[in-house]
Amino acid sequence: MERVDVAIVGGGPAGACAAERAAAHGAETVLFEQGVPREDREGPGPDSTDAAGMLDYWIDIMDFDYREIPDDVILQELEGTDFVGPSSRVELETTGMEAEYPKFGYTFHRARMDDWLHERAADAGADLRVGTGVKSLETDLRASSPQGPTHALTLSNGERVEAQYVVLADGPQRRVTLEALDQFTAPGRSVSEYLSPPEANHIAYQEYRDFPEELFEADRLKFWWGYMPGETAYPWVFPNDGTVARVGLTMPIGMDLEDVSNPGSYKLLEPTDEQIPSGSEYIRRLLEREYGDEYDIEADIPIVEDRGKSKGTETYPISSTRPIDSPVGANIAVAGGAMGTTSAFHEGGYHVAVRTGKIAGRLAATDSLGSYNDVWKRAIGDEILRNVAFADIVAEYEPDDWNRAFDIVNGMQGAEKNGAILEKSYSAGIGATKLLAAYKKRKFSYRDGRYVQLAEDEYFY
């Protein structure tokens, strides 16, 4: 059986960064990625699907100097974002966070970014096996190695590889992670209960559309809140290259129309609907509402078929659960989307995937994986805390709630005079005070890592 120091399951941002760091620290490292085709990539690669926007402070969380990132990865530099409610809206020109990057953020080409991370890993000496997936992982807790348990990975081609350390980075689909971690849960319990409950997971869909020049906003993101039902359900437009934008949405998996208490209040639902519309139908309705009076949507804002995963479209899962700890006593680290760090609330996860992957790879290579759960919390804990607190607050929002919240935020911006909205102003009135108090209360309830769903001491070895 082939033997390596560190085996990594999954070649997305977490896996690629884990491979680069492990190899750079001298470990014999192999990464397995089953690979998927894309219209905009030659040959198979990681499942590079995302709206692909990066805020200024996220680059610091990734622990990159923004000048390192290749020019062809960055598509549009951003000056701000617009949050559109049913009858109110908010315009932001700053995230309110300290950051080295001089702009609000940028949109980027996800496949090129992933490929760049792969190049870095290969240059560091990692063995990247794209096209080879992992079928299963078995852990030998009785191994006689001085470093503790070892692992046997069964590959899609039938071969087996033994590894001292494993980093699970197979994204929110978790094809290997769930079964691998179930080895260490209490009888009758499954990690699926924490990471895969249908009510806490979402599906995202997006289309690449070519806009008339007069409609294309090159330097702004745009989100519509309160237009479609469901927790953290919203459409967006992200500027891409030229006049191409990605028009997409996120929505809960398996939602029924009968679950919607007031369907007539949502602008993207129609009285004749008998079920929740598909992603493509939602996008058609959004574009018709915004531009249909003056433009023929399919003729004037067509889908660009040589982009994305398939004919100008792509669909991908987003895990919106809270994260879990890793069973580090078994020499296993879970990183990125596989551990539940992504957030449907802000359509983001790339930055925390990169950072957790870097941490896992470095610690595995230096026989220090036992500290992984503490280290990742220090690195990204504040970001996770913000995400889960805001997501909790807006979980039950309906259209009127979004209007009220946006009016409050506009008042807070006026009081601050700089567009920053986070943890600031008590001088913007009672509404702002209540919103801020609710946010701080949520954050307090998740203090000291209590946002973790499955703690390290709940694993059994």
Side-chain angles (χ1 to χ4, degrees):
M1 190 186 301
E2 179 185 3
R3 289 172 173 80
V4 297
D5 298 323
V6 180
I8 297 160
V9 181
C17 288
E20 189 272 333
R21 287 290 82 201
H25 282 81
E28 185 176 358
T29 304
V30 60
L31 177 150
F32 299 104
E33 163 59 47
Q34 66 179 11
V36 296
R38 287 180 61 88
E39 298 286 354
D40 50 9
R41 175 191 276 140
E42 293 184 10
D47 195 0
S48 304
T49 48
D50 199 351
M54 186 67 62
L55 300 181
D56 53 5
Y57 75 97
W58 289 2
I59 305 168
D60 296 336
I61 287 177
M62 288 194 298
D63 197 26
F64 279 133
D65 182 330
Y66 68 88
R67 290 172 285 259
E68 294 180 70
I69 300 170
D71 290 341
D72 67 346
V73 168
I74 298 175
L75 298 173
Q76 302 283 356
E77 290 189 320
L78 301 171
E79 297 292 343
T81 188
D82 299 331
F83 297 100
V84 182
S87 62
S88 184
R89 63 186 293 151
V90 170
E91 298 179 3
L92 297 180
E93 277 71 45
T94 175
T95 62
M97 308 291 287
E98 292 186 7
E100 292 294 323
Y101 189 69
K103 301 282 189 177
F104 183 87
Y106 57 76
T107 58
F108 65 100
H109 193 297
R110 169 72 190 263
R112 291 177 189 164
M113 182 73 176
D114 284 353
D115 291 346
W116 176 62
L117 296 180
H118 274 228
E119 291 173 9
R120 287 168 55 89
D123 290 345
D127 180 4
L128 307 183
R129 303 185 190 178
V130 178
T132 302
V134 174
K135 293 175 62 177
S136 63
L137 170 70
E138 299 173 9
T139 301
D140 184 357
L141 295 172
R142 298 167 296 176
S144 58
S145 165
Q147 287 79 36
T150 60
H151 311 277
L153 294 85
T154 301
L155 309 182
S156 56
N157 59 13
E159 297 178 0
R160 286 166 63 85
V161 174
E162 183 180 81
Q164 184 67 63
Y165 298 99
V166 169
V167 178
L168 297 171
D170 50 347
Q173 293 177 320
R174 308 180 181 103
R175 294 187 178 94
V176 177
T177 290
L178 295 179
E179 185 176 347
L181 296 190
D182 280 347
Q183 300 176 85
F184 314 112
T185 56
R189 300 301 302 271
S190 171
V191 177
S192 296
E193 299 172 31
Y194 302 94
L195 289 177
S196 295
E199 67 273 12
N201 287 283
H202 293 67
I203 195 74
Y205 172 80
Q206 68 176 356
E207 299 174 351
Y208 289 73
R209 295 255 180 179
D210 193 359
F211 280 69
E213 187 172 356
E214 65 272 16
L215 294 183
F216 187 76
E217 296 181 81
D219 60 357
R220 300 189 75 82
L221 305 177
K222 200 166 187 177
F223 301 87
W224 285 261
W225 287 93
Y227 274 58
M228 51 191 290
E231 180 182 349
T232 57
Y234 56 93
W236 69 74
V237 173
F238 279 39
N240 211 68
D241 58 305
T243 55
V244 174
R246 282 163 283 177
V247 186
L249 56 88
T250 180
M251 57 193 291
I253 294 173
M255 187 177 187
D256 293 323
L257 192 59
E258 61 186 29
D259 299 327
V260 182
S261 59
N262 187 14
S265 65
Y266 293 95
K267 294 190 174 185
L268 297 186
L269 291 182
E270 297 179 353
T272 56
D273 286 334
E274 296 182 356
Q275 60 186 13
I276 295 293
S278 66
S280 59
E281 176 62 17
Y282 264 138
I283 287 180
R284 185 193 66 78
R285 293 181 185 182
L286 175 72
L287 294 175
E288 286 286 353
R289 283 193 62 88
E290 296 295 312
Y291 313 113
D293 289 344
E294 299 182 31
Y295 297 88
D296 181 316
I297 300 305
E298 298 309 320
D300 298 328
I301 313 177
I303 293 177
V304 184
E305 294 194 353
D306 63 349
R307 308 291 181 90
K309 188 182 287 187
S310 176
K311 297 187 180 303
T313 71
E314 50 194 39
T315 304
Y316 53 96
I318 299 177
S319 169
S320 193
T321 61
R322 292 182 283 116
I324 63 168
D325 274 339
S326 294
V328 292
N331 284 349
I332 293 175
V334 193
M339 67 184 285
T341 56
T342 53
S343 170
F345 174 67
H346 62 45
E347 182 61 20
Y350 201 96
H351 56 311
V352 291
V354 165
R355 188 62 177 274
T356 54
K358 285 184 174 183
I359 294 168
R362 173 175 59 82
L363 296 178
T366 57
D367 298 323
S368 306
L369 201 62
S371 62
Y372 174 65
N373 293 318
D374 293 328
V375 176
W376 75 253
K377 290 185 184 73
R378 290 197 297 269
I380 67 168
D382 288 346
E383 175 74 347
I384 298 296
L385 197 55
R386 282 188 291 269
N387 293 343
V388 297
F390 276 122
D392 280 359
I393 289 172
V394 305
E396 304 297 327
Y397 270 25
E398 294 186 358
D400 286 346
D401 299 305
W402 285 109
N403 289 328
R404 184 165 50 253
F406 288 166
D407 287 341
I408 290 171
V409 171
N410 281 323
M412 294 171 74
Q413 287 196 113
E416 286 300 305
K417 304 298 184 186
N418 65 359
I421 65 170
L422 293 178
E423 303 183 30
K424 296 275 187 178
S425 173
Y426 280 100
S427 61
I430 187 65
T433 302
K434 288 182 176 179
L435 185 63
L436 182 60
Y439 172 60
K440 289 193 171 183
K441 181 178 179 180
R442 294 288 185 176
K443 286 186 68 176
F444 184 76
S445 70
Y446 290 122
R447 68 192 184 282
D448 300 328
R450 294 178 190 176
Y451 49 77
V452 168
Q453 295 190 89
L454 178 60
E456 180 181 338
D457 60 10
E458 295 180 76
Y459 290 106
F460 294 83
Y461 305 112

